[in-house]
Structures are given as structure tokens and as C-alpha cells.
Amino acid sequence: MSTKPIAIVTGANGVFGQYICQGIMKTHQLYCIVRNEEKGKQLLKFLNGADAKYLLCDLSKPSSITALAKQFEGKAVQCLINNAAITPKKKATSEETGEELQWCVNVLAYHRLTKAFLPNLKLSSSQQTNNKSRVVFVASFYAGGLNLNDPEFKKRSYSSDSAYQASKQADRMLAFAWSKQCDDILFSSCHPHVATSAVSLGLGFDLDRSKKAQLQ
């Protein structure tokens, strides 16, 4: 059994997720959250022998997030990286909740995951004298335009681009709000850089004219 601290990364098979995993796999026991078996298997091949496992979770479904968290009952989790994001070109909703899909996956899932893993994160902090557990909300410098009166585009015409920008602004705000509630956990948000990805292709940006991201 590994003695390394546990890190959980959502959207682990994406362009940024893969390199997030690469960056921490030497120091952590890594749990990569993906949507299907094939993506999980491909990711483990990419990581090439790391102390890593993949777990399945549909972040558009609160019940799936709850089931994921149950697998970690009683375990200390040092790091949760909320990285998963989607950019559907047409407005869609969660099959389980009816929430607009980008708002559901890009924002509410971050909040639900953080809440579900809070006992695990607090346990990790309590076991370490000078090393708080951490939660990262992967946002974007593209963030902006959040309308709190209509975050799910129920009153406005839907724009994937606007919905994405708003979701990333909300992620920044969530990180700040959580930091005010839990001083024993370090919360942060970040801009991961720019690359062609499933997210960028959904927004219409093929930044390096590469279709590799379509395989994510």
C-alpha cells in the first residue's frame, strides 16, 4: 500500500489534466477522475507506471459525485484539483438535475466535490503540522461576464462562449468563498495556460491546428 498522500484530479484525461497528473504523480498517490473506462486506460498508459488509478464519475450527476466520495470514506485527501470542464456548442442540461450543463459541470460539480471531500481534506490537514490540504479550482484568464440573475441562460439566448467565461468567473469566486469558510484548507484558483483542447475546440479555437484534442 502506498504511503504517499492522496491527490484527486478531475478531467484527468484532458490536455491540461494529463500534465497536472504528470506534475504531481511522483509525490502523490494519484486518483484520476474520468468519464469512461477507455479514457482511463489511455491515461494510465500516458502516465507510464505512475502510482495512479482511474475512477469513473459523471460530474453532471450529484449521485455520481456522492458515490465517488464514498470510496474515500475515512481516508485523508491532501489535494483536490477541480479541473474538468466542458463547452457544448448547443445548450444542454443534466439528465439528473436539469441544470444547464456547463454551469452544472464547470461550477456546481466543483462545489459539490469540494463539499463531498471536505471531511477527507480536513483529516489530511489535521495530520500535518505545517502542510494544509489544498483545493484548486482551475479557472481561466478568459473568465468574465457572469450574470448571477441568470447563470443558466434561462432568460437569455445561449452562448457556449459566454457560458464558459461565466463559469470560470464563478470558479474564481467559489475558491474565494471557500477560503473564507475553511482556514485549515488552502483554496486557490488558477489559469492553466493556453492549448488546443476539447474545451478550446468547443469554443471554436483550434489554437495549433491540431485535432489531437478531439480524442479526449
Side-chain angles (χ1 to χ4, degrees), residues 4-155:
K4 291 187 289 187
I6 291 174
I8 298 171
V9 181
T10 70
N13 61 286
V15 169
F16 293 117
Q18 290 177 6
Y19 290 100
I20 290 170
C21 290
Q22 266 198 334
I24 62 177
M25 67 185 187
K26 293 181 180 179
T27 57
H28 287 76
Q29 182 182 354
L30 190 58
Y31 287 88
C32 308
I33 309 306
V34 297
R35 283 178 291 178
N36 64 56
E37 294 275 357
E38 186 57 35
K39 290 180 178 179
K41 292 175 182 178
Q42 290 175 2
L43 177 60
L44 293 189
K45 287 182 180 179
F46 175 81
L47 296 177
N48 191 25
D51 186 6
K53 298 179 182 178
Y54 69 85
L55 296 174
L56 304 182
C57 184
D58 184 343
L59 298 181
S60 72
K61 298 179 179 179
S63 62
S64 188
I65 292 173
T66 299
L68 174 67
K70 283 184 177 179
Q71 297 182 60
F72 291 85
E73 282 186 352
K75 295 181 180 180
V77 173
Q78 189 185 65
C79 184
L80 170 63
I81 301 179
N82 289 305
N83 167 68
I86 58 170
T87 52
K89 294 181 180 180
K90 295 182 179 179
K91 185 176 180 179
T93 57
S94 163
E95 294 178 3
E96 188 167 289
T97 66
E99 297 155 341
E100 189 274 312
L101 207 54
Q102 280 208 66
W103 186 250
C104 181
V105 173
N106 298 5
V107 182
L108 298 182
Y110 287 24
H111 178 68
R112 287 164 176 154
L113 281 159
T114 302
K115 187 175 181 180
F117 282 98
L118 204 59
N120 311 84
L121 293 159
K122 285 182 172 290
L123 178 59
S124 177
S125 287
S126 71
Q127 294 175 348
Q128 302 175 76
T129 305
N130 297 310
N131 192 7
K132 293 181 180 180
S133 58
R134 301 180 179 217
V135 179
V136 179
F137 292 73
V138 176
S140 172
F141 68 2
Y142 199 45
L146 175 62
N147 183 339
L148 290 174
N149 292 317
D150 188 26
E152 298 184 57
F153 289 81
K154 293 181 178 180
K155 303 173 185 177

Side-chain angles (χ1 to χ4, degrees), residues 140-146 161-162 164-170 172:
S140 172
F141 68 2
Y142 199 45
L146 175 62
D161 189 276
S162 296
Y164 178 75
Q165 290 183 67
S167 73
K168 295 294 105 179
Q169 181 181 345
R172 290 177 175 179

Side-chain angles (χ1 to χ4, degrees), residues 159-180:
S159 161
S160 180
D161 189 276
S162 296
Y164 178 75
Q165 290 183 67
S167 73
K168 295 294 105 179
Q169 181 181 345
D171 289 336
R172 290 177 175 179
M173 295 166 67
L174 267 179
F176 179 78
W178 271 107
S179 71
K180 294 301 181 181

